Amino acid sequence: MTTEIRRSAGTRTLSDALLSMFGIRRPSTEKDLADLRSGTTLQVFCSSPTLGTVKMLSVGKGRTIPHAASGHLYLAADTVTWRNRRTGENVSLRGPFRLSPSEQRTPHPKMARLDLAAGDGQHVIVVPKADVSLITQVLEAAGR
């Protein structure tokens, strides 16, 4: 990853939401792609129950489900890395990549659940809908 890292257009903080109320807009996907080509690493919010160390949560009566760990995808021109926000664990993803919409839905209307087939296995990721086109273009380029 390069030293210059910035959030993507779809990854918004509370201050971004407040600024947008006053008409100050975040960068667009086109600006994200231009910055990526110029060497900036983009940080995209991404939770996943399958990336990194999988922690199982008890849901009662002896049943468990995988915990969806919160983290960020770091998209650079030549690498794609996921970092767990809580533990700091890094997972480098290797191509070829294939991204497809998941059959399961996410309860949040601004998030998309996607199935990611990478060179090292199958993963499920949940990302902002505004960043899906950016992630798709970056993964297609990185998988070649």
Side-chain angles (χ1 to χ4, degrees):
M1 290 186 274
T2 63
T3 57
E4 186 177 353
I5 298 174
R6 76 164 180 82
R7 288 186 315 276
S8 64
T11 300
R12 296 169 49 121
T13 62
L14 178 60
S15 59
D16 293 332
L18 292 173
L19 289 173
S20 68
M21 291 172 55
F22 295 107
I24 301 171
R25 298 201 174 130
R26 294 273 306 141
S28 64
T29 301
E30 293 78 24
K31 172 86 168 97
D32 286 345
L33 289 171
D35 287 351
L36 186 67
R37 285 187 214 103
S38 69
T40 302
T41 299
L42 296 175
Q43 176 183 348
V44 178
F45 173 80
C46 174
S47 67
S48 175
T50 59
L51 286 170
T53 304
V54 177
K55 180 180 177 185
M56 300 301 284
L57 293 176
S58 174
V59 292
K61 296 186 181 179
R63 294 176 294 166
T64 59
I65 59 171
H67 174 260
S70 177
H72 291 97
L73 273 179
Y74 289 90
L75 307 173
D78 55 348
T79 61
V80 178
T81 305
W82 180 78
R83 181 179 299 154
N84 188 316
R85 191 172 71 182
R86 188 176 55 84
T87 65
E89 177 184 14
N90 286 322
V91 177
S92 294
L93 299 173
R94 292 182 297 276
F97 299 107
R98 193 179 75 242
L99 200 61
S100 59
S102 178
E103 293 178 8
Q104 294 182 348
R105 301 268 185 234
T106 178
H108 196 286
K110 292 188 178 188
M111 302 299 279
R113 184 180 175 109
L114 304 169
D115 294 325
L116 172 64
D120 58 348
Q122 293 284 118
H123 302 289
V124 174
I125 60 174
V126 178
V127 297
K129 284 184 180 177
D131 287 333
V132 170
S133 62
L134 168 71
I135 294 168
T136 302
Q137 291 180 36
V138 170
L139 292 179
E140 285 175 359
R144 293 180 194 155

